[in-house]
Amino acid sequence: FAGLTDNATGTASIAASSFSGGIYTFDVTDTAAEGPVTFTATESVLTKSGTSAGVTWSPDVIASFSVVASPGSLSAGENTTITITAKDTNGNTITTYDNTADIDLTQSGGTGGSITWSGTGVTDLGTGSGTLAGGNFSNGVAVVYVNDTVAEGPITFTVTENDSGLSRTGTSGGVTWSPGALAYYTLTPDTTSPTAGNASSITIRAYDSYNNQITTYNNANQVDITQSGGTGGAGSPISYAAGGGFAGLTDNATGTASIAASSFSGGIYT
């Protein structure tokens, strides 16, 4: 048969004089898994018509996984949710899919030992990788979780299927972990043995509870500096001054000092 024009809108037209013996046959392809879809033929002048029985297209075999990580930006120690969806070559979700063999869970761009995988059926291997045991998909979808205690990224996550031996895969977009809230300071002197009357330059750095330096930190409140082991009180021989490029320090003349709010830069004060 000939004379058919696909209108690229889910409709078509058959040219005049295209039937043969009162019959016309055409093929319909649908890349979406959907249905039942019915088809109606309408004669354009006499407006006589007829409608087919419903046709249902099902997903094809698995071709890949869609791997979506959300959220894509979070703080160290928080979980991102990884949603894994089985897809055919046309991007249809295979709602009947369920893995029979372990699925490999891997990452790229992160520090292996700090990344942990969790969720139903998940085994964390302690190296930044994990496995998802068979039988843990529902309607073609599985959900797992990833935690990273290091402030780093973007990190991508890859899922690899072993059922068919064809290593069908999918990879997420990048996820970035940032430092968490302030947990403590470190104070590092540039020398621990200056002679009397000379300065030791001490740098304060801000860290979160996972030991990530908070490079965006700027103190919202006053920071008090005290000492132990030296002579304090009125007339103390210990004095303080802001280091090069820093300001906001007040020497209390008692062996203590105060740093005004918003005096840190890049999470550091010297």
Side-chain angles (χ1 to χ4, degrees):
F1 291 89
L4 185 142
T5 300
D6 184 342
N7 299 324
T9 60
T11 65
S13 303
I14 301 170
S17 302
S18 296
F19 276 63
S20 176
I23 294 173
Y24 191 91
T25 300
F26 61 92
D27 297 327
V28 180
T29 301
D30 193 345
T31 57
E34 59 185 352
V37 181
T38 60
F39 300 94
T40 299
T42 303
E43 207 276 352
S44 61
V45 175
L46 301 177
T47 64
K48 304 300 182 182
S49 65
T51 299
S52 74
V55 179
T56 299
W57 278 265
S58 300
D60 202 348
V61 297
I62 184 170
S64 63
F65 292 104
S66 164
V67 182
V68 178
S70 181
S73 298
L74 61 168
S75 296
E78 295 179 342
N79 284 345
T80 189
T81 300
I82 309 290
T83 302
I84 307 164
T85 306
K87 298 286 187 177
D88 68 10
T89 54
N90 293 304
N92 297 299
T93 297
I94 308 170
T95 57
T96 57
Y97 176 83
D98 198 5
N99 60 314
T100 58
D102 286 355
I103 284 178
D104 295 330
L105 309 171
T106 57
Q107 61 84 24
S108 177
T111 304
S114 70
I115 294 172
T116 55
W117 295 80
S118 63
T120 302
V122 172
T123 299
D124 181 70
L125 301 180
T127 59
S129 300
T131 59
L132 175 63
N136 283 288
F137 277 70
S138 176
N139 294 318
V141 178
V143 176
V144 300
Y145 306 94
V146 179
N147 185 296
D148 194 351
T149 57
V150 171
E152 60 184 350
I155 303 171
T156 58
F157 301 98
T158 297
V159 173
T160 304
E161 176 230 31
N162 294 302
D163 285 12
S164 62
L166 298 178
S167 299
R168 295 178 174 93
T169 68
T171 299
S172 74
V175 179
T176 298
W177 277 266
S178 299
L182 175 68
Y184 66 93
Y185 297 120
T186 62
L187 283 75
T188 306
D190 67 344
T191 176
T192 58
S193 55
T195 56
N198 290 298
S200 176
S201 183
I202 298 177
T203 299
I204 307 172
R205 292 179 173 86
Y207 286 84
D208 70 9
S209 59
Y210 295 101
N211 305 318
N212 297 296
Q213 186 175 339
I214 310 171
T215 57
T216 58
Y217 175 81
N218 194 4
N219 57 315
N221 303 296
Q222 174 179 294
V223 176
D224 295 323
I225 306 297
T226 59
Q227 60 84 26
S228 176
T231 303
S236 171
I238 298 173
S239 62
Y240 300 86
F246 290 90
L249 186 144
T250 299
D251 185 345
N252 299 325
T254 58
T256 66
S258 302
I259 300 171
S262 302
S263 295
F264 276 62
S265 177
I268 293 174
Y269 189 92
T270 299

